[in-house]
Amino acid sequence: MNKDQISIVILAAGKGSRMKSPKAKVLHNICGKPMLYHIIKSSLEISNDITVVIAHQKDAVIQKISSFFENINFVVQDAANFPGTGGAMMTIEPKNEKVLVLNGDMPLITSDALQGFLDTDADIIMSIFNLENPDGYGRVIIENGQVQRIVEQKDSSADELKVTSVNAGIYAFSKSVIQKYIPLLSNENAQEEYYLTDVVSMARADGLNIAPLLVDEENFKGVNSKKDLADSEVIMQDKINTHWMSTGVIMQLPSTIYIEEGVTFEGECIVENGCRLTGNTLIKESHIKAGSVVEDSIVKNSDVGPLAHLRPASYLEDTHVGNFVEVKKSSLKGVKAGHLSYIGDSQIDEGTNIGAGVITCNYDGVKKYKTIIGKNVFVGSDSQLIAPVQIEDDVMIAAGTTVTSGKVEQGSLAISRTKLRIVKDFYYKFFSK
């Protein structure tokens, strides 16, 4: 089926009260992106007509999702007058002949998992799970390969309670079914809501073809609580790590490694245990050692860590950054920074060595300033470079030196130390009995 043959509607209007959060449920992150993002991304792989039904915190949802995608249709549900899943569909006008209805809290859905809805020909396609213990779920009664009815557990007979097929909550309708039955929905029920499942009942009564589609429970897992959120992130993280290992990335204890959806790798890379890689990070032919954090940065042919931190907008190429080094918004090319340093808002060129305890003092409490260091510079331990400062090529900065704003010219030695003073027998006087 082509993308212009199926429309997708994502129901994302609910509050998600069980999340116990002021944030809209569909905006909670899984592996660095809102769960609604993951659903839309998968949907766009099979359809060019995506509609998101919103209500709760609608402006926040629109703003966030629009930062990732263009050409997404947003429809605001009149939840006060037309609540429920059926109410969400009342103003939908799909372009294409098949309409797939997804839930905004199922972030593990993939385009492959949705393929069955495209391949099945029926007036209504209804997703089902088979559960060993279906307790608490409505049963889907299937006869001769057709869905006959959906029975809530409290209304089920003894034989119906033995049925293990339950409703997974995802449907595909022909456009004509949507147009005919959605206007006929009623809210005459205990919850006074309009239910999409009633469309199935009406269509069955009219003898339409309603096909069950067995789906993988994991891919259609709903998120209704913080525990569900954590469980889904574990599943998605395993998929992300497995994908990158299949491309050649070496991971040591991958279950301890957190990699967000936007991170990419090129070439053979190594990621050791306990690392966290976030944002739109690119790792190319590099080694990220244990316990390191890399945020929205680019690392090429370099090694980072252990226990190093690259904050956003860092660029490393042919560089060694060792333990307890923090880099922020800086470009390091051919640099060695072995340990215990802070490098912020800096540009450092090849052959330069940054000693232990070196700090670029880039912030005066009001503004940030830049440090520029040329080639083959040796910055001795425990030095402070007070930006804005420029250190030209072939310079030595003596250990313990404070370089104030300005320029250190090529070939120079910069040194600032107070004369050592020794007070004889001071220890005994200070600790005298």
PDB file of all heavy atoms in Angstrom, residues 346-379:
ATOM      1  N   SER A 346      35.704  27.406  24.071  1.00  0.00           N
ATOM      2  CA  SER A 346      37.098  27.459  23.645  1.00  0.00           C
ATOM      3  C   SER A 346      37.294  26.886  22.258  1.00  0.00           C
ATOM      4  O   SER A 346      36.500  26.074  21.780  1.00  0.00           O
ATOM      5  CB  SER A 346      37.978  26.676  24.632  1.00  0.00           C
ATOM      6  OG  SER A 346      37.880  27.205  25.934  1.00  0.00           O
ATOM      7  N   GLN A 347      38.395  27.323  21.644  1.00  0.00           N
ATOM      8  CA  GLN A 347      38.840  26.759  20.368  1.00  0.00           C
ATOM      9  C   GLN A 347      40.308  26.420  20.534  1.00  0.00           C
ATOM     10  O   GLN A 347      41.133  27.312  20.782  1.00  0.00           O
ATOM     11  CB  GLN A 347      38.635  27.772  19.244  1.00  0.00           C
ATOM     12  CG  GLN A 347      39.110  27.288  17.876  1.00  0.00           C
ATOM     13  CD  GLN A 347      38.925  28.361  16.814  1.00  0.00           C
ATOM     14  OE1 GLN A 347      37.897  29.044  16.781  1.00  0.00           O
ATOM     15  NE2 GLN A 347      39.919  28.511  15.946  1.00  0.00           N
ATOM     16  N   ILE A 348      40.648  25.121  20.434  1.00  0.00           N
ATOM     17  CA  ILE A 348      42.008  24.676  20.719  1.00  0.00           C
ATOM     18  C   ILE A 348      42.507  23.861  19.537  1.00  0.00           C
ATOM     19  O   ILE A 348      41.834  22.932  19.073  1.00  0.00           O
ATOM     20  CB  ILE A 348      42.061  23.839  22.015  1.00  0.00           C
ATOM     21  CG1 ILE A 348      41.399  24.610  23.172  1.00  0.00           C
ATOM     22  CG2 ILE A 348      43.493  23.502  22.363  1.00  0.00           C
ATOM     23  CD1 ILE A 348      41.350  23.843  24.468  1.00  0.00           C
ATOM     24  N   ASP A 349      43.724  24.174  19.090  1.00  0.00           N
ATOM     25  CA  ASP A 349      44.239  23.570  17.860  1.00  0.00           C
ATOM     26  C   ASP A 349      45.214  22.435  18.158  1.00  0.00           C
ATOM     27  O   ASP A 349      45.577  22.179  19.314  1.00  0.00           O
ATOM     28  CB  ASP A 349      44.890  24.653  16.988  1.00  0.00           C
ATOM     29  CG  ASP A 349      44.691  24.413  15.503  1.00  0.00           C
ATOM     30  OD1 ASP A 349      44.496  23.241  15.121  1.00  0.00           O
ATOM     31  OD2 ASP A 349      44.735  25.385  14.727  1.00  0.00           O
ATOM     32  N   GLU A 350      45.678  21.785  17.099  1.00  0.00           N
ATOM     33  CA  GLU A 350      46.404  20.524  17.197  1.00  0.00           C
ATOM     34  C   GLU A 350      47.744  20.672  17.902  1.00  0.00           C
ATOM     35  O   GLU A 350      48.394  21.718  17.857  1.00  0.00           O
ATOM     36  CB  GLU A 350      46.616  19.950  15.798  1.00  0.00           C
ATOM     37  CG  GLU A 350      47.447  20.811  14.876  1.00  0.00           C
ATOM     38  CD  GLU A 350      47.514  20.230  13.462  1.00  0.00           C
ATOM     39  OE1 GLU A 350      46.939  19.148  13.241  1.00  0.00           O
ATOM     40  OE2 GLU A 350      48.140  20.869  12.608  1.00  0.00           O
ATOM     41  N   GLY A 351      48.139  19.569  18.545  1.00  0.00           N
ATOM     42  CA  GLY A 351      49.423  19.519  19.227  1.00  0.00           C
ATOM     43  C   GLY A 351      49.420  20.155  20.598  1.00  0.00           C
ATOM     44  O   GLY A 351      50.458  20.187  21.272  1.00  0.00           O
ATOM     45  N   THR A 352      48.301  20.645  21.045  1.00  0.00           N
ATOM     46  CA  THR A 352      48.225  21.347  22.336  1.00  0.00           C
ATOM     47  C   THR A 352      47.925  20.362  23.451  1.00  0.00           C
ATOM     48  O   THR A 352      47.128  19.436  23.297  1.00  0.00           O
ATOM     49  CB  THR A 352      47.164  22.451  22.272  1.00  0.00           C
ATOM     50  OG1 THR A 352      47.650  23.496  21.415  1.00  0.00           O
ATOM     51  CG2 THR A 352      46.876  23.033  23.653  1.00  0.00           C
ATOM     52  N   ASN A 353      48.567  20.577  24.599  1.00  0.00           N
ATOM     53  CA  ASN A 353      48.357  19.752  25.782  1.00  0.00           C
ATOM     54  C   ASN A 353      47.768  20.612  26.896  1.00  0.00           C
ATOM     55  O   ASN A 353      48.306  21.677  27.230  1.00  0.00           O
ATOM     56  CB  ASN A 353      49.681  19.149  26.253  1.00  0.00           C
ATOM     57  CG  ASN A 353      49.498  18.218  27.437  1.00  0.00           C
ATOM     58  OD1 ASN A 353      49.215  17.033  27.278  1.00  0.00           O
ATOM     59  ND2 ASN A 353      49.644  18.756  28.647  1.00  0.00           N
ATOM     60  N   ILE A 354      46.666  20.132  27.450  1.00  0.00           N
ATOM     61  CA  ILE A 354      46.015  20.820  28.560  1.00  0.00           C
ATOM     62  C   ILE A 354      46.308  20.027  29.832  1.00  0.00           C
ATOM     63  O   ILE A 354      45.881  18.878  29.975  1.00  0.00           O
ATOM     64  CB  ILE A 354      44.490  20.918  28.347  1.00  0.00           C
ATOM     65  CG1 ILE A 354      44.165  21.595  27.009  1.00  0.00           C
ATOM     66  CG2 ILE A 354      43.837  21.647  29.505  1.00  0.00           C
ATOM     67  CD1 ILE A 354      44.617  23.028  26.908  1.00  0.00           C
ATOM     68  N   GLY A 355      47.037  20.632  30.765  1.00  0.00           N
ATOM     69  CA  GLY A 355      47.453  19.937  31.971  1.00  0.00           C
ATOM     70  C   GLY A 355      46.330  19.761  32.978  1.00  0.00           C
ATOM     71  O   GLY A 355      45.229  20.293  32.828  1.00  0.00           O
ATOM     72  N   ALA A 356      46.628  18.998  34.024  1.00  0.00           N
ATOM     73  CA  ALA A 356      45.638  18.724  35.063  1.00  0.00           C
ATOM     74  C   ALA A 356      45.247  20.001  35.794  1.00  0.00           C
ATOM     75  O   ALA A 356      46.092  20.844  36.098  1.00  0.00           O
ATOM     76  CB  ALA A 356      46.193  17.705  36.056  1.00  0.00           C
ATOM     77  N   GLY A 357      43.949  20.138  36.057  1.00  0.00           N
ATOM     78  CA  GLY A 357      43.481  21.271  36.843  1.00  0.00           C
ATOM     79  C   GLY A 357      43.381  22.581  36.095  1.00  0.00           C
ATOM     80  O   GLY A 357      43.170  23.638  36.698  1.00  0.00           O
ATOM     81  N   VAL A 358      43.499  22.541  34.758  1.00  0.00           N
ATOM     82  CA  VAL A 358      43.390  23.776  33.968  1.00  0.00           C
ATOM     83  C   VAL A 358      41.927  24.165  33.825  1.00  0.00           C
ATOM     84  O   VAL A 358      41.062  23.323  33.574  1.00  0.00           O
ATOM     85  CB  VAL A 358      44.038  23.582  32.579  1.00  0.00           C
ATOM     86  CG1 VAL A 358      43.746  24.782  31.666  1.00  0.00           C
ATOM     87  CG2 VAL A 358      45.537  23.378  32.724  1.00  0.00           C
ATOM     88  N   ILE A 359      41.673  25.462  33.975  1.00  0.00           N
ATOM     89  CA  ILE A 359      40.307  25.971  33.862  1.00  0.00           C
ATOM     90  C   ILE A 359      40.293  27.132  32.885  1.00  0.00           C
ATOM     91  O   ILE A 359      41.103  28.061  32.993  1.00  0.00           O
ATOM     92  CB  ILE A 359      39.778  26.467  35.224  1.00  0.00           C
ATOM     93  CG1 ILE A 359      39.779  25.334  36.247  1.00  0.00           C
ATOM     94  CG2 ILE A 359      38.375  27.052  35.080  1.00  0.00           C
ATOM     95  CD1 ILE A 359      39.463  25.811  37.654  1.00  0.00           C
ATOM     96  N   THR A 360      39.362  27.088  31.935  1.00  0.00           N
ATOM     97  CA  THR A 360      39.082  28.279  31.139  1.00  0.00           C
ATOM     98  C   THR A 360      37.976  29.045  31.863  1.00  0.00           C
ATOM     99  O   THR A 360      36.865  28.547  32.036  1.00  0.00           O
ATOM    100  CB  THR A 360      38.626  27.923  29.718  1.00  0.00           C
ATOM    101  OG1 THR A 360      37.454  27.113  29.790  1.00  0.00           O
ATOM    102  CG2 THR A 360      39.699  27.145  28.975  1.00  0.00           C
ATOM    103  N   CYS A 361      38.299  30.228  32.311  1.00  0.00           N
ATOM    104  CA  CYS A 361      37.345  31.048  33.077  1.00  0.00           C
ATOM    105  C   CYS A 361      36.522  31.858  32.076  1.00  0.00           C
ATOM    106  O   CYS A 361      36.883  32.977  31.722  1.00  0.00           O
ATOM    107  CB  CYS A 361      38.092  31.948  34.053  1.00  0.00           C
ATOM    108  SG  CYS A 361      39.238  31.055  35.128  1.00  0.00           S
ATOM    109  N   ASN A 362      35.428  31.261  31.619  1.00  0.00           N
ATOM    110  CA  ASN A 362      34.699  31.814  30.475  1.00  0.00           C
ATOM    111  C   ASN A 362      33.516  32.687  30.874  1.00  0.00           C
ATOM    112  O   ASN A 362      32.863  33.267  30.014  1.00  0.00           O
ATOM    113  CB  ASN A 362      34.199  30.679  29.577  1.00  0.00           C
ATOM    114  CG  ASN A 362      33.291  29.704  30.322  1.00  0.00           C
ATOM    115  OD1 ASN A 362      33.524  29.410  31.491  1.00  0.00           O
ATOM    116  ND2 ASN A 362      32.276  29.194  29.660  1.00  0.00           N
ATOM    117  N   TYR A 363      33.213  32.796  32.156  1.00  0.00           N
ATOM    118  CA  TYR A 363      31.987  33.473  32.585  1.00  0.00           C
ATOM    119  C   TYR A 363      32.310  34.456  33.699  1.00  0.00           C
ATOM    120  O   TYR A 363      32.909  34.085  34.707  1.00  0.00           O
ATOM    121  CB  TYR A 363      30.997  32.411  33.071  1.00  0.00           C
ATOM    122  CG  TYR A 363      29.633  32.922  33.483  1.00  0.00           C
ATOM    123  CD1 TYR A 363      28.915  33.805  32.680  1.00  0.00           C
ATOM    124  CD2 TYR A 363      29.044  32.494  34.675  1.00  0.00           C
ATOM    125  CE1 TYR A 363      27.659  34.247  33.049  1.00  0.00           C
ATOM    126  CE2 TYR A 363      27.782  32.931  35.053  1.00  0.00           C
ATOM    127  CZ  TYR A 363      27.097  33.811  34.244  1.00  0.00           C
ATOM    128  OH  TYR A 363      25.853  34.242  34.622  1.00  0.00           O
ATOM    129  N   ASP A 364      31.874  35.713  33.487  1.00  0.00           N
ATOM    130  CA  ASP A 364      32.139  36.731  34.514  1.00  0.00           C
ATOM    131  C   ASP A 364      30.927  37.026  35.384  1.00  0.00           C
ATOM    132  O   ASP A 364      30.908  37.998  36.141  1.00  0.00           O
ATOM    133  CB  ASP A 364      32.648  38.026  33.866  1.00  0.00           C
ATOM    134  CG  ASP A 364      31.596  38.714  32.992  1.00  0.00           C
ATOM    135  OD1 ASP A 364      30.452  38.199  32.889  1.00  0.00           O
ATOM    136  OD2 ASP A 364      31.909  39.773  32.413  1.00  0.00           O
ATOM    137  N   GLY A 365      29.924  36.192  35.272  1.00  0.00           N
ATOM    138  CA  GLY A 365      28.696  36.401  36.023  1.00  0.00           C
ATOM    139  C   GLY A 365      27.605  37.061  35.210  1.00  0.00           C
ATOM    140  O   GLY A 365      26.434  37.028  35.597  1.00  0.00           O
ATOM    141  N   VAL A 366      27.972  37.649  34.064  1.00  0.00           N
ATOM    142  CA  VAL A 366      27.008  38.302  33.178  1.00  0.00           C
ATOM    143  C   VAL A 366      27.120  37.740  31.760  1.00  0.00           C
ATOM    144  O   VAL A 366      26.122  37.355  31.151  1.00  0.00           O
ATOM    145  CB  VAL A 366      27.218  39.833  33.153  1.00  0.00           C
ATOM    146  CG1 VAL A 366      26.231  40.502  32.195  1.00  0.00           C
ATOM    147  CG2 VAL A 366      27.061  40.411  34.558  1.00  0.00           C
ATOM    148  N   LYS A 367      28.342  37.654  31.241  1.00  0.00           N
ATOM    149  CA  LYS A 367      28.560  37.228  29.866  1.00  0.00           C
ATOM    150  C   LYS A 367      29.532  36.066  29.804  1.00  0.00           C
ATOM    151  O   LYS A 367      30.346  35.859  30.708  1.00  0.00           O
ATOM    152  CB  LYS A 367      29.097  38.386  29.016  1.00  0.00           C
ATOM    153  CG  LYS A 367      28.124  39.541  28.828  1.00  0.00           C
ATOM    154  CD  LYS A 367      28.744  40.609  27.935  1.00  0.00           C
ATOM    155  CE  LYS A 367      27.780  41.771  27.700  1.00  0.00           C
ATOM    156  NZ  LYS A 367      28.387  42.818  26.825  1.00  0.00           N
ATOM    157  N   LYS A 368      29.442  35.330  28.668  1.00  0.00           N
ATOM    158  CA  LYS A 368      30.401  34.273  28.380  1.00  0.00           C
ATOM    159  C   LYS A 368      31.434  34.801  27.378  1.00  0.00           C
ATOM    160  O   LYS A 368      31.108  35.556  26.466  1.00  0.00           O
ATOM    161  CB  LYS A 368      29.687  33.052  27.776  1.00  0.00           C
ATOM    162  CG  LYS A 368      28.629  32.423  28.678  1.00  0.00           C
ATOM    163  CD  LYS A 368      29.268  31.630  29.791  1.00  0.00           C
ATOM    164  CE  LYS A 368      28.220  30.964  30.667  1.00  0.00           C
ATOM    165  NZ  LYS A 368      27.569  29.828  30.029  1.00  0.00           N
ATOM    166  N   TYR A 369      32.686  34.375  27.553  1.00  0.00           N
ATOM    167  CA  TYR A 369      33.767  34.836  26.690  1.00  0.00           C
ATOM    168  C   TYR A 369      34.542  33.639  26.149  1.00  0.00           C
ATOM    169  O   TYR A 369      34.528  32.553  26.728  1.00  0.00           O
ATOM    170  CB  TYR A 369      34.706  35.766  27.456  1.00  0.00           C
ATOM    171  CG  TYR A 369      34.029  37.005  27.989  1.00  0.00           C
ATOM    172  CD1 TYR A 369      33.503  37.021  29.278  1.00  0.00           C
ATOM    173  CD2 TYR A 369      33.898  38.143  27.204  1.00  0.00           C
ATOM    174  CE1 TYR A 369      32.871  38.158  29.776  1.00  0.00           C
ATOM    175  CE2 TYR A 369      33.271  39.281  27.690  1.00  0.00           C
ATOM    176  CZ  TYR A 369      32.754  39.277  28.975  1.00  0.00           C
ATOM    177  OH  TYR A 369      32.127  40.407  29.455  1.00  0.00           O
ATOM    178  N   LYS A 370      35.274  33.860  25.068  1.00  0.00           N
ATOM    179  CA  LYS A 370      35.922  32.771  24.347  1.00  0.00           C
ATOM    180  C   LYS A 370      37.426  32.726  24.623  1.00  0.00           C
ATOM    181  O   LYS A 370      38.082  33.762  24.742  1.00  0.00           O
ATOM    182  CB  LYS A 370      35.674  32.934  22.848  1.00  0.00           C
ATOM    183  CG  LYS A 370      35.950  31.680  22.042  1.00  0.00           C
ATOM    184  CD  LYS A 370      35.420  31.831  20.629  1.00  0.00           C
ATOM    185  CE  LYS A 370      35.642  30.569  19.812  1.00  0.00           C
ATOM    186  NZ  LYS A 370      34.877  29.414  20.297  1.00  0.00           N
ATOM    187  N   THR A 371      37.929  31.511  24.699  1.00  0.00           N
ATOM    188  CA  THR A 371      39.367  31.270  24.800  1.00  0.00           C
ATOM    189  C   THR A 371      39.830  30.616  23.502  1.00  0.00           C
ATOM    190  O   THR A 371      39.258  29.618  23.067  1.00  0.00           O
ATOM    191  CB  THR A 371      39.693  30.337  25.982  1.00  0.00           C
ATOM    192  OG1 THR A 371      39.342  30.983  27.203  1.00  0.00           O
ATOM    193  CG2 THR A 371      41.165  29.985  26.016  1.00  0.00           C
ATOM    194  N   ILE A 372      40.868  31.200  22.896  1.00  0.00           N
ATOM    195  CA  ILE A 372      41.414  30.664  21.647  1.00  0.00           C
ATOM    196  C   ILE A 372      42.858  30.253  21.908  1.00  0.00           C
ATOM    197  O   ILE A 372      43.688  31.082  22.330  1.00  0.00           O
ATOM    198  CB  ILE A 372      41.338  31.697  20.512  1.00  0.00           C
ATOM    199  CG1 ILE A 372      39.882  32.077  20.250  1.00  0.00           C
ATOM    200  CG2 ILE A 372      41.982  31.132  19.235  1.00  0.00           C
ATOM    201  CD1 ILE A 372      39.701  33.171  19.214  1.00  0.00           C
ATOM    202  N   ILE A 373      43.161  29.001  21.657  1.00  0.00           N
ATOM    203  CA  ILE A 373      44.500  28.461  21.880  1.00  0.00           C
ATOM    204  C   ILE A 373      44.989  27.865  20.565  1.00  0.00           C
ATOM    205  O   ILE A 373      44.287  27.067  19.930  1.00  0.00           O
ATOM    206  CB  ILE A 373      44.503  27.386  22.976  1.00  0.00           C
ATOM    207  CG1 ILE A 373      43.965  27.973  24.300  1.00  0.00           C
ATOM    208  CG2 ILE A 373      45.909  26.832  23.189  1.00  0.00           C
ATOM    209  CD1 ILE A 373      43.833  26.956  25.409  1.00  0.00           C
ATOM    210  N   GLY A 374      46.196  28.243  20.171  1.00  0.00           N
ATOM    211  CA  GLY A 374      46.737  27.812  18.886  1.00  0.00           C
ATOM    212  C   GLY A 374      47.366  26.435  18.928  1.00  0.00           C
ATOM    213  O   GLY A 374      47.045  25.596  19.786  1.00  0.00           O
ATOM    214  N   LYS A 375      48.301  26.196  18.012  1.00  0.00           N
ATOM    215  CA  LYS A 375      48.938  24.891  17.869  1.00  0.00           C
ATOM    216  C   LYS A 375      50.138  24.755  18.812  1.00  0.00           C
ATOM    217  O   LYS A 375      50.818  25.746  19.131  1.00  0.00           O
ATOM    218  CB  LYS A 375      49.406  24.694  16.427  1.00  0.00           C
ATOM    219  CG  LYS A 375      48.283  24.701  15.403  1.00  0.00           C
ATOM    220  CD  LYS A 375      48.821  24.538  13.989  1.00  0.00           C
ATOM    221  CE  LYS A 375      47.683  24.542  12.964  1.00  0.00           C
ATOM    222  NZ  LYS A 375      48.190  24.421  11.570  1.00  0.00           N
ATOM    223  N   ASN A 376      50.365  23.519  19.228  1.00  0.00           N
ATOM    224  CA  ASN A 376      51.565  23.162  19.987  1.00  0.00           C
ATOM    225  C   ASN A 376      51.740  24.011  21.246  1.00  0.00           C
ATOM    226  O   ASN A 376      52.851  24.422  21.584  1.00  0.00           O
ATOM    227  CB  ASN A 376      52.816  23.283  19.109  1.00  0.00           C
ATOM    228  CG  ASN A 376      52.705  22.460  17.849  1.00  0.00           C
ATOM    229  OD1 ASN A 376      52.254  21.317  17.886  1.00  0.00           O
ATOM    230  ND2 ASN A 376      53.073  23.055  16.720  1.00  0.00           N
ATOM    231  N   VAL A 377      50.667  24.254  21.914  1.00  0.00           N
ATOM    232  CA  VAL A 377      50.701  25.012  23.167  1.00  0.00           C
ATOM    233  C   VAL A 377      50.736  24.020  24.329  1.00  0.00           C
ATOM    234  O   VAL A 377      50.010  23.018  24.330  1.00  0.00           O
ATOM    235  CB  VAL A 377      49.481  25.939  23.284  1.00  0.00           C
ATOM    236  CG1 VAL A 377      49.427  26.610  24.655  1.00  0.00           C
ATOM    237  CG2 VAL A 377      49.505  26.991  22.174  1.00  0.00           C
ATOM    238  N   PHE A 378      51.584  24.309  25.325  1.00  0.00           N
ATOM    239  CA  PHE A 378      51.632  23.491  26.534  1.00  0.00           C
ATOM    240  C   PHE A 378      51.090  24.322  27.688  1.00  0.00           C
ATOM    241  O   PHE A 378      51.689  25.341  28.062  1.00  0.00           O
ATOM    242  CB  PHE A 378      53.065  23.045  26.828  1.00  0.00           C
ATOM    243  CG  PHE A 378      53.167  22.156  28.038  1.00  0.00           C
ATOM    244  CD1 PHE A 378      53.033  20.784  27.915  1.00  0.00           C
ATOM    245  CD2 PHE A 378      53.375  22.691  29.295  1.00  0.00           C
ATOM    246  CE1 PHE A 378      53.117  19.959  29.026  1.00  0.00           C
ATOM    247  CE2 PHE A 378      53.451  21.868  30.419  1.00  0.00           C
ATOM    248  CZ  PHE A 378      53.328  20.495  30.285  1.00  0.00           C
ATOM    249  N   VAL A 379      49.938  23.895  28.208  1.00  0.00           N
ATOM    250  CA  VAL A 379      49.328  24.597  29.331  1.00  0.00           C
ATOM    251  C   VAL A 379      49.597  23.778  30.586  1.00  0.00           C
ATOM    252  O   VAL A 379      49.077  22.666  30.745  1.00  0.00           O
ATOM    253  CB  VAL A 379      47.814  24.786  29.119  1.00  0.00           C
ATOM    254  CG1 VAL A 379      47.223  25.588  30.286  1.00  0.00           C
ATOM    255  CG2 VAL A 379      47.543  25.493  27.796  1.00  0.00           C
TER     256      VAL A 379
END
